[in-house]
Amino acid sequence: MSKSQLLPLFLDLEGRRVLLVGGGRVAAAKLAQLLAVHADVRVVSPEVCEEIEQSGVAIERRPFEPEDLDGVWLVVAAAIPEANRAVAESAERRRVFVNAVDDPANASAFLGGVVRRDGVTLAI
């Protein structure tokens, strides 16, 4: 599948369930972005960094399971490549978009750079 034909899109995730797979620094950065838009985030990862631990979100300390995608609007895979691949395969079967951080082969959704000022959002 060619990734060159992408549709730029803004998502309203407020109150919507988002699964974050991974518990390191990169996952923590994505968590901050998701919380900033008031997403209902759940983290699944065998280990989590202190920033995620202190975020107040639901955390399940274990590997990803396909059932984790039940009721999810979006999944962010910020784990090791093998875990990201498992997330992508399960998400494809369930028709859930995946943002796989630094792993375009396992992604169906991509986040751009964002600037927010005075009620205006610019994404590149």
Side-chain angles (χ1 to χ4, degrees):
M1 172 174 56
S2 170
K3 302 281 186 181
S4 63
Q5 299 299 316
L6 299 174
L7 175 67
L9 181 68
F10 290 85
L11 300 176
D12 177 2
L13 294 175
E14 185 170 355
R16 293 190 168 111
R17 173 63 53 97
V18 176
L19 176 66
L20 175 59
V21 179
R25 287 183 317 106
V26 173
K30 293 300 178 183
L31 177 60
Q33 291 177 317
L34 293 167
L35 293 177
V37 297
H38 308 286
D40 175 15
V41 183
R42 183 169 50 110
V43 174
V44 171
S45 179
E47 298 178 22
V48 296
C49 67
E50 186 174 340
E51 189 174 348
I52 293 174
E53 180 74 45
Q54 295 177 352
S55 70
V57 301
I59 300 170
E60 296 188 35
R61 287 175 181 78
R62 59 170 174 74
F64 167 79
E65 298 172 1
E67 296 76 23
D68 293 328
L69 295 172
D70 291 348
V72 167
W73 290 74
L74 174 70
V75 59
V76 177
I80 61 174
E82 296 79 19
N84 289 352
R85 187 170 32 261
V87 169
E89 289 170 358
S90 295
E92 182 70 20
R93 285 191 296 275
R94 292 170 183 255
R95 297 182 181 166
V96 174
F97 283 103
V98 178
N99 172 244
V101 181
D102 296 330
D103 190 357
N106 289 308
S108 58
F110 302 86
L111 297 176
V114 176
V115 176
R116 298 177 200 273
R117 291 211 174 93
D118 298 323
V120 175
T121 301
L122 176 65
I124 302 170

